[in-house]
Amino acid sequence: CLIKVMDLSYVAGFFDAEGNINILLDKRANRIGIQARIYNSNEQILKQIKEFIHFGNIFKKVRITPKGDKSIVFELTIGNKQECLDFLRSIYPHSILKKQQLDYLFNNFNFNSQQSNKNFNKIEFDKLKIRLNKTSSLKRGIPDIPNEQFLTS
């Protein structure tokens, strides 16, 4: 057992640091979907988080580093709209870095599975992510890491 006491503050902090909100555009079906994802090289910690929140699936991703080495990372994905909403609402009071994104999402994304989100402004949402990345990195004095390093295949 890696974590002795799991709580929403811990999960929110983990999500702030290692997670993202992925907006999926499905042009053929004329709809927009959503995923909350958390990445880590330690599968056990993601299993503990999954067990604590009671939803999501864990996937193993193999990436090739710029030097050509294989790198394994695990991804906890919450893809069901209602589960995603429940998860994001539960961590919202404890979130720090992703608070602006969550505010925008809750005010502009329709989580009702019967409703379309074709008017959701993904560009504005992505601007919040970019602004967040630059602001948080600058405040901590850590250089920005290109987002391409975190894209999944």
Side-chain angles (χ1 to χ4, degrees), residues 29-45:
N30 196 26
R31 65 181 178 180
I32 295 178
I34 186 169
Q35 294 177 329
R37 303 182 299 191
I38 303 173
Y39 298 93
N40 202 274
S41 59
N42 186 325
E43 184 181 20
Q44 284 307 114
I45 191 64

Side-chain angles (χ1 to χ4, degrees), residues 32-149:
I32 295 178
I34 186 169
Q35 294 177 329
R37 303 182 299 191
I38 303 173
Y39 298 93
N40 202 274
S41 59
N42 186 325
E43 184 181 20
Q44 284 307 114
I45 191 64
L46 294 181
K47 284 181 177 180
Q48 283 186 275
I49 291 172
K50 179 183 182 222
E51 187 177 304
F52 177 76
I53 62 175
H54 299 292
F55 18 74
N57 295 298
I58 296 175
F59 302 98
K60 179 180 180 179
K61 305 279 184 170
V62 178
R63 298 188 177 136
I64 306 299
T65 67
K67 293 181 180 179
D69 300 326
K70 285 187 180 180
S71 171
I72 295 175
V73 69
F74 297 93
E75 173 187 311
L76 171 59
T77 300
I78 304 165
N80 174 283
K81 270 188 186 179
Q82 187 59 52
E83 290 176 355
C84 195
L85 174 63
D86 292 345
F87 170 70
L88 295 174
R89 278 187 178 156
S90 70
I91 65 167
Y92 178 82
H94 310 281
S95 180
I96 297 170
L97 295 178
K98 292 195 172 46
K99 186 77 84 174
Q100 276 187 309
Q101 284 180 285
L102 293 172
D103 284 335
Y104 186 87
L105 197 66
F106 293 148
N107 289 321
N108 296 285
F109 191 89
N110 188 340
F111 284 89
N112 182 334
S113 61
Q114 306 304 314
Q115 298 291 319
S116 167
N117 274 293
K118 63 184 176 187
N119 295 323
F120 181 79
N121 192 333
K122 185 176 181 331
I123 294 169
E124 285 301 312
F125 180 75
D126 287 341
K127 282 181 186 176
L128 285 173
K129 285 200 281 192
I130 292 166
R131 191 175 324 130
L132 172 68
N133 288 342
K134 288 183 179 178
T135 304
S136 62
S137 295
L138 290 174
K139 282 182 182 174
R140 293 178 286 143
I142 300 170
D144 284 332
I145 299 169
N147 285 335
E148 293 81 26
Q149 291 183 11

